[in-house]
C-alpha cells in the first residue's frame, strides 16, 4: 500500500513534537500534546484592564483584529479562565485583588504582562503607589512591550504564549 503524506500547516507544526503518522488518515499522539493543542486553541483570558493599555486589549477583541479566530474568548470569571492579561498600571491597592483572582484560576494557567507599566512600572518608575512590574505579584509568561502596545502586539504575545504551551508539552517527560 502506498502511504500518501499530505502536509498541512498544522501538521507541519506538529511534526516532530509528538504527532506521528502511520497510515493515510491515521495519526497517533501523546495525550500531553493533544491537551496542549486544545488548550492553546481555546485560551480564555480573564476580562479586566487596569489602565490605558486595556483600551488596546479591547481593540484586539474587536472585528479588525478578531482574537476569536485564535480561539481566544474573553471570560468574566476566574473559575473558567486560563490566561490573565495584566493590561495597564498595577497600583499597589490592586496587587491583592490581582493575586486573589490569579489564585482562583484553575491550573494550568498563564499570564501576559501587556505594556510598559505591567512589565516594569513603565512611566511610573519608582512611583510610591505603583507596583514595579506585574511579576512582583504573579508569575508572568509573556511580556508585551510598548506604551501602549498596539492590538497587533498583543496578538503576537498570544501567539508566543501558544508556542510556549506547545513547547512545554513537547518537553514534558513521560511520568514513570
Ligand atoms: S504602558 Fe503606557 S499606555 Fe499602558 S497603562 Fe502604562 S502608561 Fe498607559
Amino acid at each position: 500500500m502506498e502511504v500518501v503524506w499530505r502536509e498541512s500547516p498544522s501538521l507541519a507544526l506538529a511534526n516532530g513534537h509528538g504527532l506521528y503518522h502511520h497510515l493515510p488518515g491515521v495519526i497517533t499522539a501523546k495525550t500531553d500534546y493533544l491537551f496542549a493543542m486544545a488548550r492553546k486553541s481555546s485560551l480564555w483570558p480573564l476580562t479586566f484592564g487596569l489602565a490605558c493599555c486595556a483600551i488596546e486589549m479591547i481593540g484586539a477583541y474587536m472585528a479588525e483584529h478578531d482574537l476569536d479566530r485564535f480561539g481566544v474568548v474573553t471570560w468574566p470569571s476566574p473559575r473558567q479562565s486560563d490566561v490573565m492579561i495584566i493590561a495597564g498600571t498595577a497600583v499597589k491597592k490592586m496587587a491583592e485583588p490581582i493575586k486573589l483572582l490569579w489564585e482562583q484560576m484553575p491550573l494550568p494557567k498563564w499570564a501576559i504582562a501587556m505594556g510598559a507599566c505591567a512589565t516594569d512600572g513603565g512611566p511610573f518608575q519608582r512611583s510610591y503607589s505603583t507596583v514595579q512590574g506585574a511579576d512582583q505579584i504573579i508569575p508572568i509568561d509573556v511580556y508585551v512591550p510598548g506604551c501602549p502596545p498596539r492590538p497587533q502586539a498583543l496578538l503576537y504575545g498570544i501567539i508566543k504564549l501558544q508556542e510556549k504551551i506547545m513547547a512545554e508539552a513537547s518537553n514534558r517527560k513521560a511520568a514513570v
Side-chain angles (χ1 to χ4, degrees):
M1 181 194 299
E2 186 191 0
V3 176
V4 181
W5 161 248
R6 184 180 297 163
E7 197 167 56
S8 72
S10 60
L11 291 182
L13 180 73
N15 200 16
H17 292 284
L19 199 58
Y20 305 101
H21 296 255
H22 299 292
L23 291 169
V26 178
I27 58 170
T28 59
K30 293 192 296 183
T31 48
D32 272 355
Y33 190 80
L34 290 176
F35 291 151
M37 282 178 84
R39 284 171 181 148
K40 71 126 184 165
S41 304
S42 59
L43 293 169
W44 288 9
L46 183 63
T47 49
F48 75 96
L50 297 173
C52 10
C53 275
I55 303 301
E56 301 294 330
M57 178 180 70
I58 293 164
Y61 292 115
M62 298 295 107
E64 187 173 345
H65 303 289
D66 191 15
L67 274 179
D68 271 25
R69 66 199 154 115
F70 292 88
V72 178
V73 178
T74 57
W75 203 253
S77 163
R79 290 185 177 201
Q80 292 89 18
S81 300
D82 50 10
V83 185
M84 179 177 273
I85 302 176
I86 310 276
T89 320
V91 292
K92 288 179 181 166
K93 275 186 182 174
M94 274 304 289
E96 272 307 309
I98 290 171
K99 194 157 178 273
L100 179 66
L101 287 166
W102 173 255
E103 286 169 355
Q104 287 175 343
M105 288 167 61
L107 290 167
K109 56 190 171 185
W110 302 274
I112 296 176
M114 180 178 181
C117 285
T119 298
D120 65 357
F124 304 104
Q125 281 278 329
R126 299 190 196 91
S127 157
Y128 73 96
S129 61
T130 307
V131 178
Q132 300 297 294
D135 56 5
Q136 311 276 317
I137 311 168
I138 60 168
I140 300 293
D141 296 280
V142 174
Y143 296 86
V144 179
C147 180
R150 296 280 296 124
Q152 295 93 325
L154 178 59
L155 208 58
Y156 185 70
I158 285 169
I159 291 168
K160 286 287 145 197
L161 179 60
Q162 290 180 325
E163 288 173 5
K164 182 175 181 185
I165 292 168
M166 295 311 295
E168 283 172 355
S170 300
N171 296 336
R172 199 167 298 136
K173 297 273 185 286
V176 182

PDB file of all heavy atoms in Angstrom, residues 10-20 28-40 165-167 169-170 172:
ATOM      1  N   SER A  10      -0.818  22.864   9.926  1.00  0.00           N
ATOM      2  CA  SER A  10      -0.926  22.432  11.321  1.00  0.00           C
ATOM      3  C   SER A  10      -0.117  21.169  11.562  1.00  0.00           C
ATOM      4  O   SER A  10       0.518  21.006  12.594  1.00  0.00           O
ATOM      5  CB  SER A  10      -2.389  22.210  11.699  1.00  0.00           C
ATOM      6  OG  SER A  10      -2.933  21.212  10.875  1.00  0.00           O
ATOM      7  N   LEU A  11      -0.115  20.245  10.581  1.00  0.00           N
ATOM      8  CA  LEU A  11       0.644  19.022  10.767  1.00  0.00           C
ATOM      9  C   LEU A  11       2.136  19.303  10.693  1.00  0.00           C
ATOM     10  O   LEU A  11       2.932  18.704  11.404  1.00  0.00           O
ATOM     11  CB  LEU A  11       0.251  17.978   9.725  1.00  0.00           C
ATOM     12  CG  LEU A  11      -1.161  17.422   9.908  1.00  0.00           C
ATOM     13  CD1 LEU A  11      -1.438  16.357   8.868  1.00  0.00           C
ATOM     14  CD2 LEU A  11      -1.349  16.834  11.284  1.00  0.00           C
ATOM     15  N   ALA A  12       2.509  20.252   9.811  1.00  0.00           N
ATOM     16  CA  ALA A  12       3.922  20.613   9.734  1.00  0.00           C
ATOM     17  C   ALA A  12       4.393  21.140  11.083  1.00  0.00           C
ATOM     18  O   ALA A  12       5.487  20.843  11.542  1.00  0.00           O
ATOM     19  CB  ALA A  12       4.136  21.666   8.651  1.00  0.00           C
ATOM     20  N   LEU A  13       3.511  21.903  11.742  1.00  0.00           N
ATOM     21  CA  LEU A  13       3.838  22.442  13.060  1.00  0.00           C
ATOM     22  C   LEU A  13       3.966  21.302  14.063  1.00  0.00           C
ATOM     23  O   LEU A  13       4.862  21.269  14.891  1.00  0.00           O
ATOM     24  CB  LEU A  13       2.728  23.411  13.501  1.00  0.00           C
ATOM     25  CG  LEU A  13       2.894  24.066  14.856  1.00  0.00           C
ATOM     26  CD1 LEU A  13       3.991  25.109  14.781  1.00  0.00           C
ATOM     27  CD2 LEU A  13       1.599  24.722  15.293  1.00  0.00           C
ATOM     28  N   ALA A  14       3.040  20.365  13.953  1.00  0.00           N
ATOM     29  CA  ALA A  14       3.016  19.291  14.927  1.00  0.00           C
ATOM     30  C   ALA A  14       4.156  18.307  14.719  1.00  0.00           C
ATOM     31  O   ALA A  14       4.646  17.716  15.669  1.00  0.00           O
ATOM     32  CB  ALA A  14       1.680  18.554  14.820  1.00  0.00           C
ATOM     33  N   ASN A  15       4.589  18.138  13.481  1.00  0.00           N
ATOM     34  CA  ASN A  15       5.576  17.119  13.175  1.00  0.00           C
ATOM     35  C   ASN A  15       6.832  17.321  14.013  1.00  0.00           C
ATOM     36  O   ASN A  15       7.366  18.403  14.113  1.00  0.00           O
ATOM     37  CB  ASN A  15       5.926  17.194  11.684  1.00  0.00           C
ATOM     38  CG  ASN A  15       6.536  15.901  11.206  1.00  0.00           C
ATOM     39  OD1 ASN A  15       6.425  14.879  11.879  1.00  0.00           O
ATOM     40  ND2 ASN A  15       7.179  15.964  10.075  1.00  0.00           N
ATOM     41  N   GLY A  16       7.293  16.226  14.627  1.00  0.00           N
ATOM     42  CA  GLY A  16       8.494  16.338  15.445  1.00  0.00           C
ATOM     43  C   GLY A  16       8.202  16.739  16.879  1.00  0.00           C
ATOM     44  O   GLY A  16       9.093  16.826  17.696  1.00  0.00           O
ATOM     45  N   HIS A  17       6.943  16.972  17.208  1.00  0.00           N
ATOM     46  CA  HIS A  17       6.604  17.384  18.579  1.00  0.00           C
ATOM     47  C   HIS A  17       5.677  16.371  19.237  1.00  0.00           C
ATOM     48  O   HIS A  17       4.986  16.714  20.177  1.00  0.00           O
ATOM     49  CB  HIS A  17       5.940  18.761  18.568  1.00  0.00           C
ATOM     50  CG  HIS A  17       6.880  19.858  18.157  1.00  0.00           C
ATOM     51  ND1 HIS A  17       7.837  20.360  18.995  1.00  0.00           N
ATOM     52  CD2 HIS A  17       7.020  20.498  16.983  1.00  0.00           C
ATOM     53  CE1 HIS A  17       8.523  21.300  18.369  1.00  0.00           C
ATOM     54  NE2 HIS A  17       8.043  21.406  17.153  1.00  0.00           N
ATOM     55  N   GLY A  18       5.593  15.173  18.706  1.00  0.00           N
ATOM     56  CA  GLY A  18       4.775  14.181  19.389  1.00  0.00           C
ATOM     57  C   GLY A  18       3.578  13.714  18.593  1.00  0.00           C
ATOM     58  O   GLY A  18       2.736  13.006  19.111  1.00  0.00           O
ATOM     59  N   LEU A  19       3.474  14.125  17.327  1.00  0.00           N
ATOM     60  CA  LEU A  19       2.364  13.684  16.486  1.00  0.00           C
ATOM     61  C   LEU A  19       2.959  12.797  15.390  1.00  0.00           C
ATOM     62  O   LEU A  19       3.876  13.218  14.698  1.00  0.00           O
ATOM     63  CB  LEU A  19       1.689  14.902  15.861  1.00  0.00           C
ATOM     64  CG  LEU A  19       0.275  14.740  15.325  1.00  0.00           C
ATOM     65  CD1 LEU A  19      -0.665  14.273  16.413  1.00  0.00           C
ATOM     66  CD2 LEU A  19      -0.208  16.060  14.756  1.00  0.00           C
ATOM     67  N   TYR A  20       2.466  11.562  15.262  1.00  0.00           N
ATOM     68  CA  TYR A  20       3.104  10.613  14.354  1.00  0.00           C
ATOM     69  C   TYR A  20       2.103  10.094  13.336  1.00  0.00           C
ATOM     70  O   TYR A  20       0.959   9.802  13.669  1.00  0.00           O
ATOM     71  CB  TYR A  20       3.678   9.435  15.150  1.00  0.00           C
ATOM     72  CG  TYR A  20       4.613   9.889  16.231  1.00  0.00           C
ATOM     73  CD1 TYR A  20       4.171   9.957  17.549  1.00  0.00           C
ATOM     74  CD2 TYR A  20       5.908  10.290  15.941  1.00  0.00           C
ATOM     75  CE1 TYR A  20       5.007  10.404  18.552  1.00  0.00           C
ATOM     76  CE2 TYR A  20       6.754  10.734  16.940  1.00  0.00           C
ATOM     77  CZ  TYR A  20       6.296  10.790  18.244  1.00  0.00           C
ATOM     78  OH  TYR A  20       7.114  11.238  19.236  1.00  0.00           O
ATOM     79  N   THR A  28      -1.147   9.092  15.556  1.00  0.00           N
ATOM     80  CA  THR A  28      -1.149   8.854  16.999  1.00  0.00           C
ATOM     81  C   THR A  28      -0.411  10.020  17.638  1.00  0.00           C
ATOM     82  O   THR A  28       0.419  10.670  17.007  1.00  0.00           O
ATOM     83  CB  THR A  28      -0.436   7.539  17.375  1.00  0.00           C
ATOM     84  OG1 THR A  28       0.914   7.597  16.918  1.00  0.00           O
ATOM     85  CG2 THR A  28      -1.142   6.345  16.767  1.00  0.00           C
ATOM     86  N   ALA A  29      -0.751  10.283  18.877  1.00  0.00           N
ATOM     87  CA  ALA A  29      -0.134  11.420  19.546  1.00  0.00           C
ATOM     88  C   ALA A  29      -0.096  11.183  21.041  1.00  0.00           C
ATOM     89  O   ALA A  29      -0.894  10.411  21.578  1.00  0.00           O
ATOM     90  CB  ALA A  29      -0.928  12.697  19.258  1.00  0.00           C
ATOM     91  N   LYS A  30       0.852  11.853  21.695  1.00  0.00           N
ATOM     92  CA  LYS A  30       0.884  11.821  23.155  1.00  0.00           C
ATOM     93  C   LYS A  30      -0.309  12.628  23.676  1.00  0.00           C
ATOM     94  O   LYS A  30      -0.658  13.663  23.095  1.00  0.00           O
ATOM     95  CB  LYS A  30       2.170  12.474  23.669  1.00  0.00           C
ATOM     96  CG  LYS A  30       3.419  11.714  23.329  1.00  0.00           C
ATOM     97  CD  LYS A  30       4.610  12.255  24.115  1.00  0.00           C
ATOM     98  CE  LYS A  30       4.918  13.678  23.733  1.00  0.00           C
ATOM     99  NZ  LYS A  30       6.109  14.219  24.415  1.00  0.00           N
ATOM    100  N   THR A  31      -0.917  12.164  24.758  1.00  0.00           N
ATOM    101  CA  THR A  31      -2.062  12.913  25.300  1.00  0.00           C
ATOM    102  C   THR A  31      -1.629  14.318  25.730  1.00  0.00           C
ATOM    103  O   THR A  31      -2.378  15.277  25.562  1.00  0.00           O
ATOM    104  CB  THR A  31      -2.691  12.181  26.497  1.00  0.00           C
ATOM    105  OG1 THR A  31      -1.659  11.801  27.384  1.00  0.00           O
ATOM    106  CG2 THR A  31      -3.493  10.989  26.060  1.00  0.00           C
ATOM    107  N   ASP A  32      -0.413  14.440  26.262  1.00  0.00           N
ATOM    108  CA  ASP A  32       0.094  15.770  26.642  1.00  0.00           C
ATOM    109  C   ASP A  32       0.006  16.723  25.464  1.00  0.00           C
ATOM    110  O   ASP A  32      -0.369  17.892  25.604  1.00  0.00           O
ATOM    111  CB  ASP A  32       1.577  15.675  27.051  1.00  0.00           C
ATOM    112  CG  ASP A  32       1.720  15.350  28.516  1.00  0.00           C
ATOM    113  OD1 ASP A  32       0.689  15.296  29.210  1.00  0.00           O
ATOM    114  OD2 ASP A  32       2.865  15.139  28.950  1.00  0.00           O
ATOM    115  N   TYR A  33       0.376  16.191  24.294  1.00  0.00           N
ATOM    116  CA  TYR A  33       0.402  17.027  23.093  1.00  0.00           C
ATOM    117  C   TYR A  33      -1.014  17.405  22.656  1.00  0.00           C
ATOM    118  O   TYR A  33      -1.289  18.548  22.292  1.00  0.00           O
ATOM    119  CB  TYR A  33       1.131  16.283  21.976  1.00  0.00           C
ATOM    120  CG  TYR A  33       1.407  17.167  20.802  1.00  0.00           C
ATOM    121  CD1 TYR A  33       2.475  18.050  20.817  1.00  0.00           C
ATOM    122  CD2 TYR A  33       0.572  17.162  19.687  1.00  0.00           C
ATOM    123  CE1 TYR A  33       2.709  18.897  19.759  1.00  0.00           C
ATOM    124  CE2 TYR A  33       0.800  18.004  18.629  1.00  0.00           C
ATOM    125  CZ  TYR A  33       1.872  18.863  18.661  1.00  0.00           C
ATOM    126  OH  TYR A  33       2.098  19.718  17.620  1.00  0.00           O
ATOM    127  N   LEU A  34      -1.926  16.425  22.717  1.00  0.00           N
ATOM    128  CA  LEU A  34      -3.320  16.714  22.324  1.00  0.00           C
ATOM    129  C   LEU A  34      -3.955  17.727  23.270  1.00  0.00           C
ATOM    130  O   LEU A  34      -4.641  18.652  22.835  1.00  0.00           O
ATOM    131  CB  LEU A  34      -4.140  15.417  22.323  1.00  0.00           C
ATOM    132  CG  LEU A  34      -3.805  14.427  21.216  1.00  0.00           C
ATOM    133  CD1 LEU A  34      -4.625  13.148  21.386  1.00  0.00           C
ATOM    134  CD2 LEU A  34      -4.066  15.025  19.838  1.00  0.00           C
ATOM    135  N   PHE A  35      -3.712  17.564  24.577  1.00  0.00           N
ATOM    136  CA  PHE A  35      -4.270  18.524  25.538  1.00  0.00           C
ATOM    137  C   PHE A  35      -3.702  19.918  25.286  1.00  0.00           C
ATOM    138  O   PHE A  35      -4.417  20.926  25.356  1.00  0.00           O
ATOM    139  CB  PHE A  35      -3.961  18.098  26.983  1.00  0.00           C
ATOM    140  CG  PHE A  35      -4.694  16.854  27.416  1.00  0.00           C
ATOM    141  CD1 PHE A  35      -4.150  16.009  28.369  1.00  0.00           C
ATOM    142  CD2 PHE A  35      -5.915  16.519  26.872  1.00  0.00           C
ATOM    143  CE1 PHE A  35      -4.812  14.859  28.766  1.00  0.00           C
ATOM    144  CE2 PHE A  35      -6.594  15.374  27.260  1.00  0.00           C
ATOM    145  CZ  PHE A  35      -6.041  14.540  28.214  1.00  0.00           C
ATOM    146  N   ALA A  36      -2.396  19.968  24.984  1.00  0.00           N
ATOM    147  CA  ALA A  36      -1.771  21.274  24.737  1.00  0.00           C
ATOM    148  C   ALA A  36      -2.360  21.928  23.493  1.00  0.00           C
ATOM    149  O   ALA A  36      -2.583  23.140  23.468  1.00  0.00           O
ATOM    150  CB  ALA A  36      -0.257  21.113  24.587  1.00  0.00           C
ATOM    151  N   MET A  37      -2.632  21.118  22.460  1.00  0.00           N
ATOM    152  CA  MET A  37      -3.254  21.674  21.246  1.00  0.00           C
ATOM    153  C   MET A  37      -4.621  22.269  21.573  1.00  0.00           C
ATOM    154  O   MET A  37      -4.982  23.343  21.090  1.00  0.00           O
ATOM    155  CB  MET A  37      -3.403  20.593  20.164  1.00  0.00           C
ATOM    156  CG  MET A  37      -2.128  20.280  19.430  1.00  0.00           C
ATOM    157  SD  MET A  37      -2.361  18.968  18.228  1.00  0.00           S
ATOM    158  CE  MET A  37      -2.991  19.877  16.852  1.00  0.00           C
ATOM    159  N   ALA A  38      -5.390  21.548  22.388  1.00  0.00           N
ATOM    160  CA  ALA A  38      -6.724  22.043  22.766  1.00  0.00           C
ATOM    161  C   ALA A  38      -6.602  23.312  23.608  1.00  0.00           C
ATOM    162  O   ALA A  38      -7.330  24.286  23.395  1.00  0.00           O
ATOM    163  CB  ALA A  38      -7.479  20.961  23.527  1.00  0.00           C
ATOM    164  N   ARG A  39      -5.645  23.287  24.550  1.00  0.00           N
ATOM    165  CA  ARG A  39      -5.503  24.444  25.444  1.00  0.00           C
ATOM    166  C   ARG A  39      -5.057  25.684  24.700  1.00  0.00           C
ATOM    167  O   ARG A  39      -5.592  26.775  24.900  1.00  0.00           O
ATOM    168  CB  ARG A  39      -4.497  24.115  26.553  1.00  0.00           C
ATOM    169  CG  ARG A  39      -5.071  23.217  27.610  1.00  0.00           C
ATOM    170  CD  ARG A  39      -4.034  22.733  28.574  1.00  0.00           C
ATOM    171  NE  ARG A  39      -4.653  21.854  29.562  1.00  0.00           N
ATOM    172  CZ  ARG A  39      -4.043  20.829  30.126  1.00  0.00           C
ATOM    173  NH1 ARG A  39      -2.794  20.548  29.831  1.00  0.00           N
ATOM    174  NH2 ARG A  39      -4.681  20.080  31.005  1.00  0.00           N
ATOM    175  N   LYS A  40      -4.074  25.524  23.834  1.00  0.00           N
ATOM    176  CA  LYS A  40      -3.555  26.720  23.156  1.00  0.00           C
ATOM    177  C   LYS A  40      -4.569  27.274  22.142  1.00  0.00           C
ATOM    178  O   LYS A  40      -4.501  28.436  21.758  1.00  0.00           O
ATOM    179  CB  LYS A  40      -2.219  26.416  22.458  1.00  0.00           C
ATOM    180  CG  LYS A  40      -2.323  25.538  21.237  1.00  0.00           C
ATOM    181  CD  LYS A  40      -1.670  26.177  20.040  1.00  0.00           C
ATOM    182  CE  LYS A  40      -1.891  25.310  18.826  1.00  0.00           C
ATOM    183  NZ  LYS A  40      -1.616  25.970  17.575  1.00  0.00           N
ATOM    184  N   ILE A 165       3.140  27.020  25.173  1.00  0.00           N
ATOM    185  CA  ILE A 165       2.303  25.912  25.655  1.00  0.00           C
ATOM    186  C   ILE A 165       2.667  24.624  24.902  1.00  0.00           C
ATOM    187  O   ILE A 165       2.809  23.557  25.500  1.00  0.00           O
ATOM    188  CB  ILE A 165       0.805  26.257  25.480  1.00  0.00           C
ATOM    189  CG1 ILE A 165       0.428  27.388  26.435  1.00  0.00           C
ATOM    190  CG2 ILE A 165      -0.076  25.036  25.698  1.00  0.00           C
ATOM    191  CD1 ILE A 165      -0.942  28.014  26.163  1.00  0.00           C
ATOM    192  N   MET A 166       2.852  24.730  23.584  1.00  0.00           N
ATOM    193  CA  MET A 166       3.214  23.545  22.792  1.00  0.00           C
ATOM    194  C   MET A 166       4.616  23.062  23.158  1.00  0.00           C
ATOM    195  O   MET A 166       4.870  21.854  23.228  1.00  0.00           O
ATOM    196  CB  MET A 166       3.139  23.855  21.291  1.00  0.00           C
ATOM    197  CG  MET A 166       1.738  24.173  20.787  1.00  0.00           C
ATOM    198  SD  MET A 166       0.468  23.002  21.284  1.00  0.00           S
ATOM    199  CE  MET A 166       0.984  21.516  20.444  1.00  0.00           C
ATOM    200  N   ALA A 167       5.540  23.994  23.363  1.00  0.00           N
ATOM    201  CA  ALA A 167       6.922  23.611  23.698  1.00  0.00           C
ATOM    202  C   ALA A 167       6.960  22.901  25.053  1.00  0.00           C
ATOM    203  O   ALA A 167       7.669  21.915  25.231  1.00  0.00           O
ATOM    204  CB  ALA A 167       7.806  24.845  23.710  1.00  0.00           C
ATOM    205  N   ALA A 169       4.602  21.114  26.347  1.00  0.00           N
ATOM    206  CA  ALA A 169       4.066  19.759  26.164  1.00  0.00           C
ATOM    207  C   ALA A 169       5.093  18.860  25.508  1.00  0.00           C
ATOM    208  O   ALA A 169       5.216  17.685  25.843  1.00  0.00           O
ATOM    209  CB  ALA A 169       2.793  19.815  25.331  1.00  0.00           C
ATOM    210  N   SER A 170       5.861  19.397  24.557  1.00  0.00           N
ATOM    211  CA  SER A 170       6.868  18.600  23.848  1.00  0.00           C
ATOM    212  C   SER A 170       7.999  18.202  24.787  1.00  0.00           C
ATOM    213  O   SER A 170       8.555  17.121  24.679  1.00  0.00           O
ATOM    214  CB  SER A 170       7.458  19.389  22.686  1.00  0.00           C
ATOM    215  OG  SER A 170       6.454  19.728  21.805  1.00  0.00           O
ATOM    216  N   ARG A 172       7.798  17.888  28.053  1.00  0.00           N
ATOM    217  CA  ARG A 172       7.407  17.168  29.270  1.00  0.00           C
ATOM    218  C   ARG A 172       7.786  15.704  29.157  1.00  0.00           C
ATOM    219  O   ARG A 172       7.489  15.043  28.168  1.00  0.00           O
ATOM    220  CB  ARG A 172       5.900  17.307  29.483  1.00  0.00           C
ATOM    221  CG  ARG A 172       5.481  17.007  30.911  1.00  0.00           C
ATOM    222  CD  ARG A 172       4.066  17.468  31.146  1.00  0.00           C
ATOM    223  NE  ARG A 172       3.919  18.901  30.989  1.00  0.00           N
ATOM    224  CZ  ARG A 172       2.906  19.487  30.337  1.00  0.00           C
ATOM    225  NH1 ARG A 172       1.971  18.773  29.784  1.00  0.00           N
ATOM    226  NH2 ARG A 172       2.842  20.797  30.241  1.00  0.00           N
TER     227      ARG A 172
END
